[in-house]
């Protein structure tokens, strides 16, 4: 009723070089390792993270909340894994999922320093966006980036996102309010969810 889903969806997608799947409770160690390994690299692009972001115990609590949001269909938090599913290469999340007359969400993502410059995030997002459009019926996916993050802007442009605006002091990133370029991708072939 009202779009509430009763079970965490089981989503596992594969690309040429990765396995993409929703996080689950057993991913606490891997997520802690990913954020610990990439802490300095991701720092300029993310909100200030407390120490618990680099420890499995901190992720246990977060994963409980994420699991609940995935059950409700209000967020989908994906990990990008190597083909053997041993290491997290990056993350991509679709948050603030709204349905009704909007059918939209926000996209956020990061890729570990070791995996930069290989086209992996584009490969992953092409597959994940297709899933969100076709399976979750998202008509509009919004993604915002800081103006000096040229690589992120170029990635979104290659994926078909269009610039829609500019927001001053939009998000608190690395302890400072940062301006953001606002972009969105709309799915022109959208059809209403079957009842």
């Amino acid at each position: 009723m009202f779009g509430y889903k009763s079970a965490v969806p089981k989503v596992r997608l594969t690309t040429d070089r990765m396995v993409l799947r929703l996080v689950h409770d057993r991913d606490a160690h891997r997520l802690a390792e990913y954020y610990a390994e990439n802490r300095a690299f991701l720092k300029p692009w993310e909100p200030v993270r407390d120490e618990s972001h680099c420890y499995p115990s901190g992720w246990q609590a977060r994963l409980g909340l994420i699991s609940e949001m995935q059950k409700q269909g209000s967020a989908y938090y994906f990990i990008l894994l190597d083909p053997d599913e041993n290491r997290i290469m990056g993350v991509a999340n679709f948050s603030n999922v709204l349905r009704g007359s909007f059918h939209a969400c926000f996209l956020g993502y990061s890729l570990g320093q070791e995996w930069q410059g290989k086209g992996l995030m584009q490969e992953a997002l092409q597959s994940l966006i297709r899933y969100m459009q076709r399976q979750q019926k998202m008509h509009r996916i919004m993604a915002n980036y800081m103006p000096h993050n040229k690589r992120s802007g170029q990635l979104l442009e290659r994926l078909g996102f269009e610039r829609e605006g500019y927001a001053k002091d939009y998000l608190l990133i690395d302890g400072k309010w940062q301006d953001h370029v606002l972009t969105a991708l709309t799915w022109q072939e959208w059809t209403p969810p079957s009842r």
Side-chain angles (χ1 to χ4, degrees):
M1 188 160 147
F2 302 110
Y4 186 86
K5 300 181 188 293
S6 61
V8 175
K10 303 263 190 285
V11 181
R12 184 181 182 280
L13 308 169
T14 57
T15 69
D16 289 342
R17 298 179 286 172
M18 287 172 286
V19 172
L20 318 170
R21 69 164 172 75
L22 288 175
V23 294
H24 51 63
D25 294 341
R26 294 183 308 275
D27 290 321
H29 286 277
R30 287 187 207 184
L31 283 161
E33 185 176 277
Y34 171 75
Y35 282 101
E37 283 177 6
N38 293 287
R39 186 175 197 158
F41 177 71
L42 295 176
K43 185 178 182 295
W45 314 109
E46 294 195 334
V48 173
R49 306 284 192 197
D50 64 32
E51 288 295 316
S52 71
H53 226 68
C54 297
Y55 293 100
S57 57
W59 273 100
Q60 286 298 338
R62 270 184 213 91
L63 287 169
L65 293 171
I66 290 169
S67 177
E68 197 55 41
M69 288 188 287
Q70 290 179 161
K71 279 183 195 173
Q72 294 172 12
S74 64
Y76 300 89
Y77 198 103
F78 289 91
I79 50 177
L80 288 51
L81 296 156
D82 67 279
D84 296 324
E85 300 186 52
N86 292 322
R87 291 187 65 200
I88 293 179
M89 302 159 74
V91 297
N93 58 72
F94 297 86
S95 61
N96 298 315
V97 174
L98 296 173
R99 299 178 198 278
S101 60
F102 200 30
H103 287 274
C105 63
F106 283 94
L107 165 64
Y109 50 86
S110 72
L111 189 67
Q113 185 172 15
E114 177 182 346
W115 311 103
Q116 295 287 316
K118 300 176 178 170
L120 290 166
M121 187 54 75
Q122 181 173 340
E123 182 179 319
L125 289 179
Q126 286 171 329
S127 184
L128 293 172
I129 288 168
R130 190 168 40 253
Y131 167 79
M132 290 301 293
Q133 290 173 332
R134 295 179 182 169
Q135 302 303 313
Q136 296 303 326
K137 294 296 190 177
M138 291 295 103
H139 172 251
R140 178 180 182 78
I141 299 173
M142 297 165 285
N144 308 316
Y145 66 94
M146 291 180 286
H148 59 278
N149 191 346
K150 303 287 187 217
R151 289 180 79 171
S152 196
Q154 291 165 351
L155 168 65
L156 293 170
E157 188 176 328
R158 286 191 306 271
L159 290 166
F161 283 76
E162 294 180 27
R163 183 182 170 137
E164 294 191 326
Y166 190 92
K168 300 283 290 169
D169 293 342
Y170 184 70
L171 284 177
L172 189 59
I173 301 292
D174 195 21
K176 300 179 286 277
W177 287 105
Q178 298 278 353
D179 296 356
H180 277 68
V181 176
L182 311 178
T183 73
L185 175 68
T186 55
W187 188 32
Q188 299 307 311
E189 291 81 39
W190 184 88
T191 56
S194 55
R195 299 194 186 265

